[in-house]
Amino acid sequence: MTRFRFADIGNQSGKTVLVTGANTGLGFEIGRHLALRGARVLMACRNRAKGEDAIARIESEMPGADLQFLALDLADMESIRAAVDRVANEARLDVLINNAGLMMPALGYAHGVEQQIGVNHLGHFALTGLLLDRLASDGGGRVVTQASIAHRGARLDLDNLDARKGYDRNAFYKQSKLANLLFTLELDRRLRAAGSPVAALACHPGVAKTEIARHVGPAKVVLPLIGWLLNSPQCGALPALQAATDPQAHGGDYFGPYGLAELRGSCSGPAYISGNARDASVARQLWTRSVELTGIDPALPVG
């Protein structure tokens, strides 16, 4: 597979793509580039004012862009279900990009567990599970989940998802990103076992200069000093755009920046997956626990 660049994003006219966390950072750039290539983009985020502002910014660059705000709070199951109901009114759904996330906030909760695993993984697990039939019915879409190089060296502690045995926000962030990859690879195995036309892929942005680090105190001082080393939000969006649009991409693929140990780069390609992320036994355990915690069962056979 050759390296993927912005010029390789083909015409997306006729496709509908849902992007979570689309009002800022990576999500905004993902939605922007898809809209510029002709896709209808459902800009999913919690805050209507910020979502509509993001839409206005894209429309100022491309009048007539096909964009729609979609209210979505991944920490709230009622909000997730309501968003799915609204998507049911769309003519089609071709790609779901699970991009939104939290990074190292103070301890909080979502879906009965610590909020990073709750939002970054469980919220997207539920959203994906509820949209799989729709993605399949429109000819076989893609589920693209944003992971991170932070998954390397991470360990999933299924006995402490609620942080009652201790909370280290960095460790919890890393395990949420490990969960994203475990979920993607398990979803891919199960979709294949079911003979589904839907493909599950993952990506990571390198280390991109976005608002996701707003909860990390030292980042406010360090990022302005080392910003030149980091990926821009636009370049950080490229791996997700490859996963969403590259005709050569397949289920189970994982993309990241090509350059400086996958930290940054203006092109994208296959990325490194840790041994822990490839552990199918742990992935099955995470799947079972995710069904229990969300009440959403995608009803896919074990691959």
Side-chain angles (χ1 to χ4, degrees):
M1 185 178 294
T2 59
R3 295 182 184 182
F4 190 87
R5 302 177 186 276
F6 286 104
D8 296 319
I9 303 172
N11 189 329
Q12 300 300 303
S13 298
K15 293 185 178 181
T16 298
V17 184
L18 193 166
V19 183
T20 69
N23 62 291
T24 189
L26 300 173
F28 174 79
E29 290 295 339
I30 292 167
R32 171 176 167 266
H33 279 278
L34 290 169
L36 291 175
R37 299 307 196 282
R40 172 169 172 76
V41 182
L42 308 181
M43 306 278 283
C45 50
R46 291 179 300 167
N47 187 296
R48 176 176 288 275
K50 291 182 178 180
E52 292 179 345
D53 177 69
I55 288 173
R57 282 184 283 152
I58 296 172
E59 289 178 336
S60 69
E61 181 179 359
M62 182 185 177
D66 194 355
L67 301 161
Q68 178 64 52
F69 170 75
L70 180 67
L72 174 65
D73 182 349
L74 289 164
D76 184 339
M77 191 57 65
E78 289 186 8
S79 176
I80 293 170
R81 289 185 179 277
V84 170
D85 288 343
R86 286 189 289 273
V87 174
N89 296 322
E90 293 290 323
R92 60 184 298 118
L93 180 65
D94 298 275
V95 184
L96 166 63
I97 301 182
N98 294 324
N99 165 78
L102 293 173
M103 182 179 182
M104 303 186 211
L107 180 59
Y109 294 90
H111 309 300
V113 298
E114 186 274 334
Q115 63 182 333
Q116 290 181 99
I117 194 78
V119 170
N120 297 358
H121 168 62
L122 290 176
H124 283 126
F125 177 92
L127 180 66
T128 300
L130 291 169
L131 288 174
L132 278 179
D133 285 346
R134 185 60 195 277
L135 286 161
S137 68
D138 290 325
R142 296 184 182 187
V143 177
V144 178
T145 298
Q146 191 80 261
S148 170
I149 58 175
H151 88 276
R152 303 174 188 178
R155 185 179 67 87
L156 187 66
D157 187 352
L158 291 169
D159 294 325
N160 190 37
L161 295 182
D162 58 7
R164 291 186 181 181
K165 297 180 180 179
Y167 178 60
D168 179 315
R169 61 183 183 174
N170 181 47
F172 269 76
Y173 174 69
K174 289 181 176 180
Q175 79 163 350
S176 76
K177 295 288 100 180
L178 174 59
N180 289 150
L181 263 181
L182 285 165
F183 166 57
T184 295
L185 298 179
E186 180 66 11
L187 178 60
D188 173 62
R189 287 187 287 268
R190 290 176 182 249
L191 289 170
R192 290 171 187 254
S196 172
V198 179
L201 308 91
C203 57
H204 78 80
V207 179
K209 189 177 179 181
T210 71
E211 291 184 10
I212 194 171
R214 63 188 178 275
H215 298 294
V216 186
K220 297 176 182 179
V221 176
V222 174
L223 289 182
L225 299 176
I226 64 169
W228 64 275
L229 283 172
L230 308 181
N231 240 3
S232 66
Q234 176 167 271
C235 287
L238 189 56
L241 291 164
Q242 179 176 15
T245 69
D246 188 348
Q248 298 183 55
H250 301 286
D253 284 347
Y254 179 46
F255 299 109
Y258 259 58
L260 195 62
E262 297 185 18
L263 296 176
R264 59 173 294 166
S266 58
C267 58
S268 172
Y272 170 77
I273 302 175
S274 73
N276 284 349
R278 296 181 184 277
D279 191 326
S281 174
V282 173
R284 288 193 295 271
Q285 294 175 54
L286 174 63
W287 185 282
T288 299
R289 193 79 177 98
S290 300
V291 171
E292 295 171 352
L293 288 166
T294 64
I296 304 300
D297 187 352
L300 293 171
V302 176

